[in-house]
Amino acid sequence: LGLYALAEVGCAIAPSYWFMFACRCLVGIGEASFVSLAAPFIDDYAPPARKTLWLATFYLCVPFGVAFGIFCGGAIAPLLGWRSVFGINAAFVLPIAAFCFTSPPVRMRGVSDDENLSASMQRARGNETIFAKFLRDCKELMKFDVYVTTVLGYAVYTAVIGVYAVWGPKAGYAIFKDRLHSSTNADMVLGGVTVLSGIFGTLIGGVVVDKFGSTMTNALRIPSAAALIGFVCLELAFRCSSFHMFIFFLVIGQMFAFVLQAPINAVVLWSVRPGLRPLACSMTTVTIHLLGDVPTPPLFGHFLEMNGAPTPERWRHVCASFTFLFILSSAILALSSHRAKNAPDHRRVGSAHGDESDDSRDDVGDSLLPT
């Protein structure tokens, strides 16, 4: 988080594009390292019957952060300049980073499994380089079929979310310029829509999975169905000529889209052994960016401008076309759900509903990681 704040300051004072590009890369390091520890920590300490809801509360930061960034960027940049937005963000993060630096170590279950290994195995692993350990753990991670297919489905889903995050307000303004009047209004209105739908959708995902039983199968079936419903509603949104109907279907579609957040990240934690959870979270973040929301916005721009200056109808067509990826995401998650039926759940299971027994806390504290 300290590196994240420093990178945000770099963005605020960037003298060139490539300097800012480098700072944005550093921002990603701060994000990945924090998320890879936060989710397993929540999984350890959340009440057994509320694990997905607790994760949903944490992952509210994703839709809220994206939409709030659009909203604040549109409001603050015209008044104080675009650089000030990055500086303000850094100012908010610094106290949190300071709190982490001064806090005691965080206890996490199963992060260090060396105590269960033989003395010879411990010595062999002790002589490994960091890179060799990383490759060994990544190789083991790829053996968990449910994890691999779930992350692939998540990446396809994120590909659509990335397009909406970058191009959504611009698309709304291009299609309904007579109602939104300015790009700033489009940022604020559509950013607000994403905040509301993201908050409700993410919370609904957590509540529904906990209600029907926090199993990996349920945590994959529900997102698969939600992705299909989200696809239908978002397709209808970009075919509406009425601005009010566009907003209505956009809210419903995005709400169902964000239902996926908490259940999928819960499966990431439950489908691998406890010691691999931080790496699983980290590699999930890398994968969804690499295959999802990094390549699709430039591709969207390419297809949008293939035939010259885009018209409102062209905006509608390209937005609707990229939304079809939700169908592929739904199919992959359904396949992952089928595989999860016979896959081991790497929590300590205390009941048929997947709840943890009280002694699942016995492993917490076997290893320490500094915040």
Side-chain angles (χ1 to χ4, degrees), residues 295-312:
T296 49
L299 281 174
F300 181 95
H302 170 73
F303 286 116
L304 185 67
E305 298 179 343
M306 281 182 62
N307 299 318
T311 62

Side-chain angles (χ1 to χ4, degrees), residues 76-334:
I76 297 174
L79 299 176
L80 303 176
W82 64 267
R83 294 177 182 272
S84 64
V85 180
F86 294 101
I88 292 171
N89 199 28
F92 275 103
V93 171
L94 279 172
I96 305 173
F99 170 79
C100 292
F101 274 119
T102 57
S103 296
V106 172
R107 299 175 179 272
M108 295 172 62
R109 176 170 58 92
V111 172
S112 175
D113 296 326
D114 290 346
E115 297 173 2
N116 300 322
L117 300 176
S118 64
S120 59
M121 185 69 74
Q122 289 186 41
R123 285 194 297 270
R125 291 193 172 185
N127 294 327
E128 284 183 322
T129 64
I130 293 177
F131 185 67
K133 291 179 180 179
F134 171 73
L135 291 180
R136 171 170 54 79
D137 287 344
C138 284
K139 184 178 180 180
E140 183 181 355
L141 202 59
M142 294 302 102
K143 295 178 181 178
F144 297 100
D145 291 345
V146 174
Y147 170 78
V148 173
T149 52
T150 298
V151 172
L152 181 59
Y154 194 21
V156 176
Y157 155 82
T158 309
V160 184
I161 297 299
V163 167
Y164 277 70
V166 174
W167 293 101
K170 298 177 180 64
Y173 177 60
I175 297 170
F176 296 102
K177 188 177 293 186
D178 58 328
R179 300 301 301 270
L180 293 170
H181 305 298
S182 70
S183 59
T184 299
N185 285 342
D187 286 343
M188 297 183 70
V189 171
L190 297 178
V193 165
T194 305
V195 166
L196 292 176
S197 57
I199 288 174
F200 284 108
T202 305
L203 286 175
I204 288 171
V207 170
V208 171
V209 171
D210 285 337
K211 180 69 175 178
F212 285 93
S214 298
T215 64
M216 288 198 296
T217 304
N218 285 339
L220 287 165
R221 285 175 177 171
I222 291 168
S224 178
L228 282 179
I229 299 172
F231 160 75
V232 171
C233 292
L234 291 171
E235 285 291 315
L236 290 173
F238 285 104
R239 298 182 188 279
C240 289
S241 56
S242 165
F243 177 71
H244 291 98
M245 291 304 296
F246 167 75
I247 292 295
F248 172 77
F249 282 115
L250 186 67
V251 168
I252 302 300
Q254 287 190 337
M255 185 175 68
F256 275 99
F258 281 110
V259 164
L260 280 70
Q261 288 283 350
I264 287 181
N265 282 284
V267 173
V268 167
L269 296 172
W270 301 340
S271 60
V272 302
R273 65 175 178 81
L276 285 176
R277 291 179 303 165
L279 179 64
C281 291
S282 183
M283 295 307 295
T284 298
T285 301
V286 171
T287 304
I288 64 174
H289 289 328
L290 189 64
L291 301 180
D293 57 0
V294 169
T296 49
L299 281 174
F300 181 95
H302 170 73
F303 286 116
L304 185 67
E305 298 179 343
M306 281 182 62
N307 299 318
T311 62
E313 286 305 311
R314 181 68 178 169
W315 277 97
R316 290 179 185 271
H317 176 70
V318 179
C319 285
S321 297
F322 271 79
T323 307
F324 267 91
L325 288 174
F326 271 156
I327 294 181
L328 178 58
S329 177
S330 176
I332 295 173
L333 293 175

